[in-house]
Amino acid sequence: MNELLVFVCNGAPVRGEFVSLGSTWQSIVERRNDPPAVQKLMGEFVAAATLLTATIKLNGTLIIQAQSKGPIQLLVVECTSQLEVRATVKLNPDVTEIPDNATLAELLDAEGSGRLAITLDPIDRQASQIPYQGIVALNRPSATHPGLLEPIETVSEAIMLYMQNSEQLETHVWLACNSETVGGFLLQRLPDSGGSSQYDPEMMSDGWQRIQMLGNTITKDELLTVSPETLLRRLFLEESSRYGVHSFPTRLVKFSCRCSRQRVADVIRMLGHDEVDSILAEQGVVETTCDFCGMQYRFDAVDCKQAFASSTLSDAVRPPSKGH
């Protein structure tokens, strides 16, 4: 299963999504050797990125970035409008052990430093344009200690906090991850205008509460083992019979990395002659590894000279003599 399923409820101002990733998730984790708690966190962010991408009209890439001074210094997940995903994480080299049950707060909110950013980067964005980005701290006002902040404990809570603060959209998210599969479920209340104008305020409120109650019955095991189509039928059987639930064709979600020798050549040109000459003098080659897929690229002195001498980026890239 590597599917995303979108549906809308006819009797309530609600749209929803299910996602289940098997081999796509395996394509991400097989290239890495992260501690179990880190892998779980990354998997839930992968599911969240896929769900959020399907909620917006974007011809481009949605990028989730979480960073802190904690055990995870940086986590990045990217999902394109074609539902092509990739992910990476950078750990703090000073942290030698991470408990298997470490929470988001323990991994990403050390000393209250955690930040979550979501960026929408259109494919046709001009160089002078700045992509839209929303940022939230990974904490919230304490419910028991007024005036104090408490850390966000889960990825679901972090995404819901972002949607509430940055997008002003009531959203509920359920996420699950193990070493084999990631799953996710999203419910979003539609705006009170436009396509939802057919509902009166009381019906909108009652419908949203009713659908949320149904959503709260889902389990992590179901998200990890049951297909999106079956989950939809199982969870909304009565809702569908009484009011109607309309689903759209499932969409394929796949792993894809956009790294290339051509992009590395571009980076070499940006480094400048002096920096590249220094690397060549010390190491003999300029070598780099993609953080997302693990692909290695090697540029010798001839490769680098060609990169700088070329008038266009494509001219800078010749087939490597060995490696990539």
Side-chain angles (χ1 to χ4, degrees), residues 65-142:
Q65 293 175 290
Q67 55 187 127
S68 76
K69 297 178 181 177
I72 292 180
Q73 291 185 330
L74 177 67
L75 183 148
V76 181
V77 179
E78 298 181 0
C79 184
T80 71
S81 47
Q82 286 74 43
L83 300 186
E84 297 172 338
V85 297
R86 63 177 187 171
T88 187
V89 63
K90 179 181 180 182
L91 301 180
N92 188 330
D94 296 329
V95 177
T96 57
E97 185 174 351
I98 297 177
D100 290 352
N101 61 348
T103 65
L104 180 145
E106 295 166 331
L107 294 172
L108 274 169
D109 197 42
E111 303 173 2
S113 64
R115 296 291 183 271
L116 175 69
I118 297 183
T119 304
L120 306 182
D121 191 10
I123 197 170
D124 57 354
R125 178 172 61 88
Q126 302 298 313
S128 59
Q129 291 180 307
I130 299 176
Y132 169 80
Q133 184 179 77
I135 302 175
V136 295
L138 291 173
N139 52 53
R140 61 186 172 191
S142 173

